Amino acid sequence: MRIGLAGVGRIGAFHAETLRDLTDVDEVVVADLDPAAAEAVAERLGVGFAASPAALLAQGVDGFVIATATPGHAPMLRLGLEAGVPTFCEKPIAGTLEETMDLAKLVSQSSTPVHVGFQRRFDRGYQRAQRAVAAGELGFLHSIRAQTHDQAPPHASYIPTSGGLFRDCSIHDFDIIRFVTGREVASVYATGANKGAGFFAEAGDIDTAAAVLTLDDGTLVSLSATRYNGAGHDVRMEVLGSEGTIGVGYDDSLAVTSAEPGATYPSGPRHWSFMERFLPAYRAELTAFAAVARGVLAPPCTADDALQAFRVAEACELSRHEGRPVSLDEIPSL
Ligand SMILES: NC(=O)c1ccc[n+]([C@@H]2O[C@H](COP(=O)([O-])OP(=O)(O)OC[C@H]3O[C@@H](n4cnc5c(N)ncnc54)[C@H](O)[C@@H]3O)[C@@H](O)[C@H]2O)c1
């Protein structure tokens, strides 16, 4: 099978390497807005190179992976759909709610499968938590804590086109909360802070955020996000119920120093980036996409899932700008 990939930045080059090593995949071809960058990555990884994403699709591929900067997702996804090629698109599928809705509608009317890149759905910890909730092991849920703490910010030029901290970063939490609980978010109350580099505020963005979400069954979620977690890349979730609590991310790599006398946990090496933290999940996600491209698996994470997570991010942005709780009923949907 031949897979084409557009966008060879941080995640794109990483995905190209993962795809190259999958037994299901015979050939990988990469392209970028910057052909020299694509050529350099192709040479380093020993994969193929095309002059542009359109040229790549014109060559004929069995699957198309979109890992460009966020503003490139919508036009690339349209290209993939027009070519009728099974397509994997990194989150978020577009930079605005309007475009996300347009794409979700287009995908629902198309027979071309589209798989969205929320890799936490392929993480064994989150999967275990989902099973515990579904089996009723925790009793009734009352509270959830969810966090995405990056060790260090991405490059400054990433921020103005990222969509902001909620749409770019917390969107992973919004998706995985839906996945683990099977519930929808009903309302949000969000705020943010700028304590780091000036380029966040200059782009109208924040570098740290907190939000309270209420799910449609009344479960309360407290959520946090930051680009400045010097202790390490720290992504976790705790799900608390009347009969038990389960925690994702609580292994020896937990990026916390215990203040308790004599405590030896956690004792392992920390994760410093999303690539280390989710390495097996990214591999599982792209293995699943190869199965989607072969036509033996329906997309495990859909454009509608992308839309629902984006709507929560949109509600959080509105909440922090207006300083008030926002109901999801206020956010347009299909
Ligand atoms: N799922 C995850 O865990 C995860 C992690 C990081 C990034 N991402 C997502 O992946 C995307 C890329 O992030 P990144 O950190 O790799 O960014 P990056 O800035 O490092 O790289 C982006 C690349 O896309 C290229 N590009 C931009 N527009 C293009 C276009 N129209 N056509 C072709 N190439 C284009 C740029 O030249 C650059 O090489 C973002 O949308 C981000 O939200 C997802």
PDB file of all heavy atoms in Angstrom, residues 97-130:
ATOM      1  N   LEU A  97     -15.189  27.157  13.229  1.00  0.00           N
ATOM      2  CA  LEU A  97     -16.366  26.299  13.416  1.00  0.00           C
ATOM      3  C   LEU A  97     -17.138  26.146  12.104  1.00  0.00           C
ATOM      4  O   LEU A  97     -17.591  25.056  11.755  1.00  0.00           O
ATOM      5  CB  LEU A  97     -17.265  26.899  14.506  1.00  0.00           C
ATOM      6  CG  LEU A  97     -18.544  26.109  14.787  1.00  0.00           C
ATOM      7  CD1 LEU A  97     -18.241  24.702  15.295  1.00  0.00           C
ATOM      8  CD2 LEU A  97     -19.422  26.852  15.791  1.00  0.00           C
ATOM      9  N   GLU A  98     -17.263  27.264  11.371  1.00  0.00           N
ATOM     10  CA  GLU A  98     -18.021  27.239  10.122  1.00  0.00           C
ATOM     11  C   GLU A  98     -17.424  26.214   9.145  1.00  0.00           C
ATOM     12  O   GLU A  98     -18.129  25.365   8.582  1.00  0.00           O
ATOM     13  CB  GLU A  98     -17.993  28.636   9.516  1.00  0.00           C
ATOM     14  CG  GLU A  98     -19.134  28.886   8.576  1.00  0.00           C
ATOM     15  CD  GLU A  98     -19.091  30.302   8.022  1.00  0.00           C
ATOM     16  OE1 GLU A  98     -18.057  30.987   8.141  1.00  0.00           O
ATOM     17  OE2 GLU A  98     -20.105  30.700   7.433  1.00  0.00           O
ATOM     18  N   GLU A  99     -16.095  26.291   9.005  1.00  0.00           N
ATOM     19  CA  GLU A  99     -15.410  25.369   8.089  1.00  0.00           C
ATOM     20  C   GLU A  99     -15.501  23.928   8.601  1.00  0.00           C
ATOM     21  O   GLU A  99     -15.662  22.986   7.821  1.00  0.00           O
ATOM     22  CB  GLU A  99     -13.946  25.803   7.961  1.00  0.00           C
ATOM     23  CG  GLU A  99     -13.162  25.044   6.923  1.00  0.00           C
ATOM     24  CD  GLU A  99     -13.093  25.751   5.589  1.00  0.00           C
ATOM     25  OE1 GLU A  99     -12.357  26.752   5.485  1.00  0.00           O
ATOM     26  OE2 GLU A  99     -13.770  25.295   4.644  1.00  0.00           O
ATOM     27  N   THR A 100     -15.417  23.759   9.921  1.00  0.00           N
ATOM     28  CA  THR A 100     -15.517  22.413  10.502  1.00  0.00           C
ATOM     29  C   THR A 100     -16.893  21.813  10.193  1.00  0.00           C
ATOM     30  O   THR A 100     -17.011  20.633   9.836  1.00  0.00           O
ATOM     31  CB  THR A 100     -15.268  22.462  12.033  1.00  0.00           C
ATOM     32  OG1 THR A 100     -14.013  23.091  12.266  1.00  0.00           O
ATOM     33  CG2 THR A 100     -15.233  21.071  12.638  1.00  0.00           C
ATOM     34  N   MET A 101     -17.933  22.647  10.325  1.00  0.00           N
ATOM     35  CA  MET A 101     -19.292  22.158  10.026  1.00  0.00           C
ATOM     36  C   MET A 101     -19.425  21.804   8.542  1.00  0.00           C
ATOM     37  O   MET A 101     -19.996  20.773   8.185  1.00  0.00           O
ATOM     38  CB  MET A 101     -20.328  23.212  10.417  1.00  0.00           C
ATOM     39  CG  MET A 101     -20.493  23.301  11.921  1.00  0.00           C
ATOM     40  SD  MET A 101     -22.016  24.124  12.418  1.00  0.00           S
ATOM     41  CE  MET A 101     -21.784  25.746  11.777  1.00  0.00           C
ATOM     42  N   ASP A 102     -18.890  22.681   7.673  1.00  0.00           N
ATOM     43  CA  ASP A 102     -18.952  22.415   6.225  1.00  0.00           C
ATOM     44  C   ASP A 102     -18.293  21.072   5.902  1.00  0.00           C
ATOM     45  O   ASP A 102     -18.823  20.270   5.137  1.00  0.00           O
ATOM     46  CB  ASP A 102     -18.216  23.513   5.441  1.00  0.00           C
ATOM     47  CG  ASP A 102     -19.037  24.788   5.361  1.00  0.00           C
ATOM     48  OD1 ASP A 102     -20.208  24.751   5.791  1.00  0.00           O
ATOM     49  OD2 ASP A 102     -18.502  25.801   4.890  1.00  0.00           O
ATOM     50  N   LEU A 103     -17.116  20.857   6.518  1.00  0.00           N
ATOM     51  CA  LEU A 103     -16.386  19.625   6.218  1.00  0.00           C
ATOM     52  C   LEU A 103     -17.114  18.399   6.772  1.00  0.00           C
ATOM     53  O   LEU A 103     -17.191  17.360   6.107  1.00  0.00           O
ATOM     54  CB  LEU A 103     -14.969  19.693   6.789  1.00  0.00           C
ATOM     55  CG  LEU A 103     -14.029  20.622   6.019  1.00  0.00           C
ATOM     56  CD1 LEU A 103     -12.761  20.881   6.808  1.00  0.00           C
ATOM     57  CD2 LEU A 103     -13.675  20.034   4.650  1.00  0.00           C
ATOM     58  N   ALA A 104     -17.625  18.524   8.006  1.00  0.00           N
ATOM     59  CA  ALA A 104     -18.333  17.379   8.604  1.00  0.00           C
ATOM     60  C   ALA A 104     -19.521  17.001   7.717  1.00  0.00           C
ATOM     61  O   ALA A 104     -19.809  15.815   7.508  1.00  0.00           O
ATOM     62  CB  ALA A 104     -18.786  17.720  10.016  1.00  0.00           C
ATOM     63  N   LYS A 105     -20.184  18.011   7.159  1.00  0.00           N
ATOM     64  CA  LYS A 105     -21.329  17.757   6.272  1.00  0.00           C
ATOM     65  C   LYS A 105     -20.861  17.071   4.990  1.00  0.00           C
ATOM     66  O   LYS A 105     -21.445  16.067   4.543  1.00  0.00           O
ATOM     67  CB  LYS A 105     -22.007  19.090   5.947  1.00  0.00           C
ATOM     68  CG  LYS A 105     -23.354  18.949   5.319  1.00  0.00           C
ATOM     69  CD  LYS A 105     -24.037  20.288   5.292  1.00  0.00           C
ATOM     70  CE  LYS A 105     -25.322  20.181   4.504  1.00  0.00           C
ATOM     71  NZ  LYS A 105     -25.877  21.468   4.185  1.00  0.00           N
ATOM     72  N   LEU A 106     -19.784  17.620   4.435  1.00  0.00           N
ATOM     73  CA  LEU A 106     -19.231  17.060   3.193  1.00  0.00           C
ATOM     74  C   LEU A 106     -18.826  15.597   3.386  1.00  0.00           C
ATOM     75  O   LEU A 106     -19.131  14.727   2.555  1.00  0.00           O
ATOM     76  CB  LEU A 106     -17.996  17.890   2.803  1.00  0.00           C
ATOM     77  CG  LEU A 106     -17.581  17.946   1.354  1.00  0.00           C
ATOM     78  CD1 LEU A 106     -18.693  18.530   0.508  1.00  0.00           C
ATOM     79  CD2 LEU A 106     -16.314  18.820   1.215  1.00  0.00           C
ATOM     80  N   VAL A 107     -18.171  15.322   4.511  1.00  0.00           N
ATOM     81  CA  VAL A 107     -17.715  13.949   4.800  1.00  0.00           C
ATOM     82  C   VAL A 107     -18.926  13.030   4.959  1.00  0.00           C
ATOM     83  O   VAL A 107     -18.928  11.900   4.461  1.00  0.00           O
ATOM     84  CB  VAL A 107     -16.813  13.920   6.058  1.00  0.00           C
ATOM     85  CG1 VAL A 107     -16.505  12.480   6.483  1.00  0.00           C
ATOM     86  CG2 VAL A 107     -15.509  14.682   5.807  1.00  0.00           C
ATOM     87  N   SER A 108     -19.975  13.527   5.632  1.00  0.00           N
ATOM     88  CA  SER A 108     -21.152  12.672   5.860  1.00  0.00           C
ATOM     89  C   SER A 108     -21.853  12.332   4.542  1.00  0.00           C
ATOM     90  O   SER A 108     -22.535  11.313   4.434  1.00  0.00           O
ATOM     91  CB  SER A 108     -22.126  13.338   6.833  1.00  0.00           C
ATOM     92  OG  SER A 108     -22.780  14.408   6.180  1.00  0.00           O
ATOM     93  N   GLN A 109     -21.662  13.197   3.519  1.00  0.00           N
ATOM     94  CA  GLN A 109     -22.308  12.955   2.219  1.00  0.00           C
ATOM     95  C   GLN A 109     -21.406  12.174   1.260  1.00  0.00           C
ATOM     96  O   GLN A 109     -21.810  11.864   0.146  1.00  0.00           O
ATOM     97  CB  GLN A 109     -22.679  14.296   1.570  1.00  0.00           C
ATOM     98  CG  GLN A 109     -23.774  15.041   2.324  1.00  0.00           C
ATOM     99  CD  GLN A 109     -23.872  16.501   1.915  1.00  0.00           C
ATOM    100  OE1 GLN A 109     -22.973  17.033   1.254  1.00  0.00           O
ATOM    101  NE2 GLN A 109     -24.950  17.159   2.302  1.00  0.00           N
ATOM    102  N   SER A 110     -20.183  11.910   1.720  1.00  0.00           N
ATOM    103  CA  SER A 110     -19.206  11.260   0.836  1.00  0.00           C
ATOM    104  C   SER A 110     -19.032   9.793   1.216  1.00  0.00           C
ATOM    105  O   SER A 110     -19.225   9.413   2.375  1.00  0.00           O
ATOM    106  CB  SER A 110     -17.858  11.987   0.969  1.00  0.00           C
ATOM    107  OG  SER A 110     -16.828  11.232   0.410  1.00  0.00           O
ATOM    108  N   SER A 111     -18.641   8.989   0.252  1.00  0.00           N
ATOM    109  CA  SER A 111     -18.365   7.579   0.575  1.00  0.00           C
ATOM    110  C   SER A 111     -16.880   7.372   0.893  1.00  0.00           C
ATOM    111  O   SER A 111     -16.452   6.262   1.191  1.00  0.00           O
ATOM    112  CB  SER A 111     -18.790   6.679  -0.596  1.00  0.00           C
ATOM    113  OG  SER A 111     -18.106   7.114  -1.763  1.00  0.00           O
ATOM    114  N   THR A 112     -16.090   8.457   0.828  1.00  0.00           N
ATOM    115  CA  THR A 112     -14.663   8.362   1.124  1.00  0.00           C
ATOM    116  C   THR A 112     -14.456   8.400   2.637  1.00  0.00           C
ATOM    117  O   THR A 112     -14.887   9.358   3.290  1.00  0.00           O
ATOM    118  CB  THR A 112     -13.899   9.531   0.468  1.00  0.00           C
ATOM    119  OG1 THR A 112     -14.128   9.472  -0.936  1.00  0.00           O
ATOM    120  CG2 THR A 112     -12.410   9.463   0.746  1.00  0.00           C
ATOM    121  N   PRO A 113     -13.804   7.375   3.227  1.00  0.00           N
ATOM    122  CA  PRO A 113     -13.625   7.386   4.681  1.00  0.00           C
ATOM    123  C   PRO A 113     -12.624   8.433   5.148  1.00  0.00           C
ATOM    124  O   PRO A 113     -11.581   8.639   4.524  1.00  0.00           O
ATOM    125  CB  PRO A 113     -13.109   5.968   4.985  1.00  0.00           C
ATOM    126  CG  PRO A 113     -12.618   5.421   3.703  1.00  0.00           C
ATOM    127  CD  PRO A 113     -13.287   6.160   2.581  1.00  0.00           C
ATOM    128  N   VAL A 114     -12.962   9.099   6.247  1.00  0.00           N
ATOM    129  CA  VAL A 114     -12.082  10.122   6.840  1.00  0.00           C
ATOM    130  C   VAL A 114     -11.886   9.789   8.320  1.00  0.00           C
ATOM    131  O   VAL A 114     -12.849   9.630   9.063  1.00  0.00           O
ATOM    132  CB  VAL A 114     -12.692  11.533   6.680  1.00  0.00           C
ATOM    133  CG1 VAL A 114     -11.878  12.564   7.467  1.00  0.00           C
ATOM    134  CG2 VAL A 114     -12.756  11.919   5.205  1.00  0.00           C
ATOM    135  N   HIS A 115     -10.631   9.672   8.707  1.00  0.00           N
ATOM    136  CA  HIS A 115     -10.255   9.302  10.083  1.00  0.00           C
ATOM    137  C   HIS A 115      -9.528  10.502  10.693  1.00  0.00           C
ATOM    138  O   HIS A 115      -8.571  11.007  10.114  1.00  0.00           O
ATOM    139  CB  HIS A 115      -9.342   8.061   9.989  1.00  0.00           C
ATOM    140  CG  HIS A 115      -8.757   7.582  11.278  1.00  0.00           C
ATOM    141  ND1 HIS A 115      -7.839   6.554  11.327  1.00  0.00           N
ATOM    142  CD2 HIS A 115      -8.933   7.963  12.553  1.00  0.00           C
ATOM    143  CE1 HIS A 115      -7.493   6.340  12.568  1.00  0.00           C
ATOM    144  NE2 HIS A 115      -8.135   7.177  13.346  1.00  0.00           N
ATOM    145  N   VAL A 116      -9.987  10.955  11.865  1.00  0.00           N
ATOM    146  CA  VAL A 116      -9.413  12.161  12.478  1.00  0.00           C
ATOM    147  C   VAL A 116      -8.414  11.779  13.580  1.00  0.00           C
ATOM    148  O   VAL A 116      -8.629  10.825  14.324  1.00  0.00           O
ATOM    149  CB  VAL A 116     -10.546  13.063  13.032  1.00  0.00           C
ATOM    150  CG1 VAL A 116      -9.967  14.301  13.709  1.00  0.00           C
ATOM    151  CG2 VAL A 116     -11.478  13.476  11.890  1.00  0.00           C
ATOM    152  N   GLY A 117      -7.337  12.574  13.663  1.00  0.00           N
ATOM    153  CA  GLY A 117      -6.192  12.225  14.513  1.00  0.00           C
ATOM    154  C   GLY A 117      -6.301  12.581  15.982  1.00  0.00           C
ATOM    155  O   GLY A 117      -5.525  13.402  16.483  1.00  0.00           O
ATOM    156  N   PHE A 118      -7.235  11.950  16.686  1.00  0.00           N
ATOM    157  CA  PHE A 118      -7.259  12.055  18.151  1.00  0.00           C
ATOM    158  C   PHE A 118      -6.638  10.781  18.699  1.00  0.00           C
ATOM    159  O   PHE A 118      -7.336   9.810  19.004  1.00  0.00           O
ATOM    160  CB  PHE A 118      -8.702  12.228  18.651  1.00  0.00           C
ATOM    161  CG  PHE A 118      -9.261  13.609  18.433  1.00  0.00           C
ATOM    162  CD1 PHE A 118     -10.392  13.799  17.653  1.00  0.00           C
ATOM    163  CD2 PHE A 118      -8.664  14.717  19.028  1.00  0.00           C
ATOM    164  CE1 PHE A 118     -10.916  15.068  17.461  1.00  0.00           C
ATOM    165  CE2 PHE A 118      -9.182  16.000  18.833  1.00  0.00           C
ATOM    166  CZ  PHE A 118     -10.307  16.177  18.053  1.00  0.00           C
ATOM    167  N   GLN A 119      -5.301  10.801  18.843  1.00  0.00           N
ATOM    168  CA  GLN A 119      -4.584   9.558  19.141  1.00  0.00           C
ATOM    169  C   GLN A 119      -4.863   9.012  20.546  1.00  0.00           C
ATOM    170  O   GLN A 119      -4.621   7.836  20.806  1.00  0.00           O
ATOM    171  CB  GLN A 119      -3.074   9.752  18.939  1.00  0.00           C
ATOM    172  CG  GLN A 119      -2.309  10.347  20.096  1.00  0.00           C
ATOM    173  CD  GLN A 119      -2.504  11.846  20.230  1.00  0.00           C
ATOM    174  OE1 GLN A 119      -3.156  12.472  19.412  1.00  0.00           O
ATOM    175  NE2 GLN A 119      -1.946  12.431  21.283  1.00  0.00           N
ATOM    176  N   ARG A 120      -5.401   9.856  21.439  1.00  0.00           N
ATOM    177  CA  ARG A 120      -5.646   9.337  22.793  1.00  0.00           C
ATOM    178  C   ARG A 120      -6.628   8.180  22.785  1.00  0.00           C
ATOM    179  O   ARG A 120      -6.628   7.350  23.684  1.00  0.00           O
ATOM    180  CB  ARG A 120      -6.158  10.453  23.717  1.00  0.00           C
ATOM    181  CG  ARG A 120      -5.076  11.460  24.028  1.00  0.00           C
ATOM    182  CD  ARG A 120      -5.529  12.505  25.022  1.00  0.00           C
ATOM    183  NE  ARG A 120      -4.610  13.634  24.969  1.00  0.00           N
ATOM    184  CZ  ARG A 120      -4.714  14.731  25.674  1.00  0.00           C
ATOM    185  NH1 ARG A 120      -5.716  14.880  26.521  1.00  0.00           N
ATOM    186  NH2 ARG A 120      -3.835  15.708  25.552  1.00  0.00           N
ATOM    187  N   ARG A 121      -7.490   8.136  21.764  1.00  0.00           N
ATOM    188  CA  ARG A 121      -8.430   7.018  21.660  1.00  0.00           C
ATOM    189  C   ARG A 121      -7.712   5.688  21.481  1.00  0.00           C
ATOM    190  O   ARG A 121      -8.309   4.624  21.657  1.00  0.00           O
ATOM    191  CB  ARG A 121      -9.392   7.229  20.481  1.00  0.00           C
ATOM    192  CG  ARG A 121     -10.381   8.358  20.725  1.00  0.00           C
ATOM    193  CD  ARG A 121     -11.259   8.565  19.509  1.00  0.00           C
ATOM    194  NE  ARG A 121     -12.238   9.612  19.740  1.00  0.00           N
ATOM    195  CZ  ARG A 121     -13.564   9.467  19.600  1.00  0.00           C
ATOM    196  NH1 ARG A 121     -14.063   8.328  19.191  1.00  0.00           N
ATOM    197  NH2 ARG A 121     -14.380  10.470  19.831  1.00  0.00           N
ATOM    198  N   PHE A 122      -6.428   5.741  21.098  1.00  0.00           N
ATOM    199  CA  PHE A 122      -5.642   4.521  20.882  1.00  0.00           C
ATOM    200  C   PHE A 122      -4.657   4.275  22.030  1.00  0.00           C
ATOM    201  O   PHE A 122      -3.836   3.374  21.951  1.00  0.00           O
ATOM    202  CB  PHE A 122      -4.894   4.605  19.546  1.00  0.00           C
ATOM    203  CG  PHE A 122      -5.839   4.658  18.384  1.00  0.00           C
ATOM    204  CD1 PHE A 122      -6.347   5.867  17.940  1.00  0.00           C
ATOM    205  CD2 PHE A 122      -6.259   3.486  17.768  1.00  0.00           C
ATOM    206  CE1 PHE A 122      -7.253   5.922  16.889  1.00  0.00           C
ATOM    207  CE2 PHE A 122      -7.161   3.525  16.724  1.00  0.00           C
ATOM    208  CZ  PHE A 122      -7.663   4.746  16.280  1.00  0.00           C
ATOM    209  N   ASP A 123      -4.726   5.102  23.066  1.00  0.00           N
ATOM    210  CA  ASP A 123      -3.851   4.947  24.229  1.00  0.00           C
ATOM    211  C   ASP A 123      -4.477   3.911  25.171  1.00  0.00           C
ATOM    212  O   ASP A 123      -5.674   3.989  25.488  1.00  0.00           O
ATOM    213  CB  ASP A 123      -3.723   6.303  24.934  1.00  0.00           C
ATOM    214  CG  ASP A 123      -2.929   6.205  26.221  1.00  0.00           C
ATOM    215  OD1 ASP A 123      -1.683   6.231  26.141  1.00  0.00           O
ATOM    216  OD2 ASP A 123      -3.555   6.093  27.306  1.00  0.00           O
ATOM    217  N   ARG A 124      -3.661   2.967  25.639  1.00  0.00           N
ATOM    218  CA  ARG A 124      -4.220   1.854  26.418  1.00  0.00           C
ATOM    219  C   ARG A 124      -4.805   2.323  27.743  1.00  0.00           C
ATOM    220  O   ARG A 124      -5.754   1.747  28.260  1.00  0.00           O
ATOM    221  CB  ARG A 124      -3.163   0.774  26.610  1.00  0.00           C
ATOM    222  CG  ARG A 124      -2.857   0.086  25.263  1.00  0.00           C
ATOM    223  CD  ARG A 124      -1.751  -0.921  25.365  1.00  0.00           C
ATOM    224  NE  ARG A 124      -2.106  -2.002  26.266  1.00  0.00           N
ATOM    225  CZ  ARG A 124      -1.267  -2.971  26.633  1.00  0.00           C
ATOM    226  NH1 ARG A 124      -0.037  -2.973  26.183  1.00  0.00           N
ATOM    227  NH2 ARG A 124      -1.669  -3.913  27.444  1.00  0.00           N
ATOM    228  N   GLY A 125      -4.240   3.369  28.333  1.00  0.00           N
ATOM    229  CA  GLY A 125      -4.773   3.892  29.590  1.00  0.00           C
ATOM    230  C   GLY A 125      -6.183   4.463  29.413  1.00  0.00           C
ATOM    231  O   GLY A 125      -7.105   4.142  30.166  1.00  0.00           O
ATOM    232  N   TYR A 126      -6.355   5.307  28.391  1.00  0.00           N
ATOM    233  CA  TYR A 126      -7.681   5.878  28.143  1.00  0.00           C
ATOM    234  C   TYR A 126      -8.684   4.781  27.758  1.00  0.00           C
ATOM    235  O   TYR A 126      -9.852   4.831  28.126  1.00  0.00           O
ATOM    236  CB  TYR A 126      -7.619   6.954  27.050  1.00  0.00           C
ATOM    237  CG  TYR A 126      -7.050   8.280  27.534  1.00  0.00           C
ATOM    238  CD1 TYR A 126      -5.781   8.688  27.178  1.00  0.00           C
ATOM    239  CD2 TYR A 126      -7.801   9.124  28.353  1.00  0.00           C
ATOM    240  CE1 TYR A 126      -5.259   9.896  27.616  1.00  0.00           C
ATOM    241  CE2 TYR A 126      -7.293  10.337  28.792  1.00  0.00           C
ATOM    242  CZ  TYR A 126      -6.019  10.713  28.426  1.00  0.00           C
ATOM    243  OH  TYR A 126      -5.511  11.914  28.875  1.00  0.00           O
ATOM    244  N   GLN A 127      -8.185   3.781  27.013  1.00  0.00           N
ATOM    245  CA  GLN A 127      -9.088   2.686  26.628  1.00  0.00           C
ATOM    246  C   GLN A 127      -9.553   1.907  27.863  1.00  0.00           C
ATOM    247  O   GLN A 127     -10.711   1.522  27.975  1.00  0.00           O
ATOM    248  CB  GLN A 127      -8.385   1.763  25.627  1.00  0.00           C
ATOM    249  CG  GLN A 127      -8.200   2.414  24.263  1.00  0.00           C
ATOM    250  CD  GLN A 127      -7.451   1.535  23.273  1.00  0.00           C
ATOM    251  OE1 GLN A 127      -6.800   0.568  23.661  1.00  0.00           O
ATOM    252  NE2 GLN A 127      -7.521   1.888  22.001  1.00  0.00           N
ATOM    253  N   ARG A 128      -8.622   1.693  28.801  1.00  0.00           N
ATOM    254  CA  ARG A 128      -8.969   0.977  30.046  1.00  0.00           C
ATOM    255  C   ARG A 128      -9.995   1.784  30.842  1.00  0.00           C
ATOM    256  O   ARG A 128     -10.942   1.227  31.406  1.00  0.00           O
ATOM    257  CB  ARG A 128      -7.686   0.749  30.862  1.00  0.00           C
ATOM    258  CG  ARG A 128      -7.884   0.273  32.278  1.00  0.00           C
ATOM    259  CD  ARG A 128      -8.228  -1.211  32.344  1.00  0.00           C
ATOM    260  NE  ARG A 128      -8.444  -1.625  33.726  1.00  0.00           N
ATOM    261  CZ  ARG A 128      -9.625  -1.569  34.344  1.00  0.00           C
ATOM    262  NH1 ARG A 128     -10.706  -1.167  33.704  1.00  0.00           N
ATOM    263  NH2 ARG A 128      -9.732  -1.950  35.602  1.00  0.00           N
ATOM    264  N   ALA A 129      -9.803   3.109  30.892  1.00  0.00           N
ATOM    265  CA  ALA A 129     -10.753   3.964  31.615  1.00  0.00           C
ATOM    266  C   ALA A 129     -12.137   3.899  30.962  1.00  0.00           C
ATOM    267  O   ALA A 129     -13.159   3.807  31.647  1.00  0.00           O
ATOM    268  CB  ALA A 129     -10.242   5.405  31.645  1.00  0.00           C
ATOM    269  N   GLN A 130     -12.145   3.903  29.623  1.00  0.00           N
ATOM    270  CA  GLN A 130     -13.425   3.834  28.901  1.00  0.00           C
ATOM    271  C   GLN A 130     -14.167   2.528  29.231  1.00  0.00           C
ATOM    272  O   GLN A 130     -15.373   2.534  29.490  1.00  0.00           O
ATOM    273  CB  GLN A 130     -13.145   3.949  27.390  1.00  0.00           C
ATOM    274  CG  GLN A 130     -14.363   4.099  26.510  1.00  0.00           C
ATOM    275  CD  GLN A 130     -14.918   2.752  26.053  1.00  0.00           C
ATOM    276  OE1 GLN A 130     -14.197   1.755  26.006  1.00  0.00           O
ATOM    277  NE2 GLN A 130     -16.193   2.731  25.740  1.00  0.00           N
TER     278      GLN A 130
END
